[in-house]
Every structure is written in structure tokens, then in C-alpha cells.
Amino acid sequence: MFSTLNVMKQTEKYSILSRLFNRYHEIYVEEPVGSEILVAAEIVVHLNGRSNSDLLQELAAWIGDNKPDEVYKLIELARSAVKIIKEKSELKEFWQESEKYEEWLTVVQGLEDRL
């Protein structure tokens, strides 16, 4: 989950988020990219002041130290990417095969709503 954070620490502030959201905007998304997109979308939600109360402390601390000036540019990209994950992705298929698919879908829908 935090491999995305490690990559971001080594790149220009948040450019990795834009590239991640843009790269997988209209195609079938495989794992682990689907999970990385959802983590990145949680970062955007937090930056926009609509954080999930269950957000991990490590992630919240990292975000606090690295907030970009133009978070609004990431919101629509994140929203589109999360929609793709929710509708057509390998991650969705994995969850559909589990007993907790409805729970996963509720969490992803909540993320999408906060965006």
C-alpha cells in the first residue's frame, strides 16, 4: 500500500498522482495498479479536506508534510480513475470473488463520493 508513497517521496511533488490517474484513465486496470490508484485517490480526498476518519496515521502525516498548492487539478483525475477501478478492473474482480465485495464496493463508493 505504501509503495506509492515511497515513489512519491522520490519524485516531484504529486506529479506521480497525475501520471497515475492519466495513465489508467480509460483502460482495464490490473493489480497492483488498482490498489495504488485507490491510495492515491485517498490522498487527493485528504488534501481536499474530506478525509476518511480511518485514514492511516502514517499516510496523514506524509500528506501533511507534502500538500501541493493546486490540489484541485487532481480531483477530477482521481474521480475518473476511481470510477474505472469500481467499474472495470482486476481489483474489482478480485473483490467480487470474495465474501466482502459489498463492503469493498461501499468503501470505494464512499471514496468516490468524497472526491
Side-chain angles (χ1 to χ4, degrees), residues 32-45:
V33 176
S35 293
E36 291 172 353
I37 287 173
L38 294 181
V39 170
E42 279 290 357
I43 291 169
V44 173
V45 165

Side-chain angles (χ1 to χ4, degrees), residues 42 44-53 79 113-115:
E42 279 290 357
V44 173
V45 165
H46 184 78
L47 291 168
N48 198 37
R50 301 187 71 186
S51 179
N52 181 344
S53 61
R79 188 177 291 130
D113 292 345
R114 288 180 281 123
L115 285 165

Side-chain angles (χ1 to χ4, degrees), residues 11-72:
T11 62
E12 190 175 320
K13 208 182 250 188
Y14 288 95
S15 63
I16 188 85
L17 292 176
S18 292
R19 286 195 309 271
L20 184 65
F21 295 142
N22 280 317
R23 184 173 175 196
Y24 297 98
H25 182 70
E26 295 181 5
I27 60 174
Y28 178 83
V29 179
E30 296 184 0
E31 270 306 291
V33 176
S35 293
E36 291 172 353
I37 287 173
L38 294 181
V39 170
E42 279 290 357
I43 291 169
V44 173
V45 165
H46 184 78
L47 291 168
N48 198 37
R50 301 187 71 186
S51 179
N52 181 344
S53 61
D54 296 331
L55 189 66
L56 299 172
Q57 289 180 349
E58 180 182 354
L59 179 58
W62 184 89
I63 292 169
D65 292 339
N66 295 281
K67 186 171 183 174
D69 297 327
E70 299 179 340
V71 67
Y72 67 91

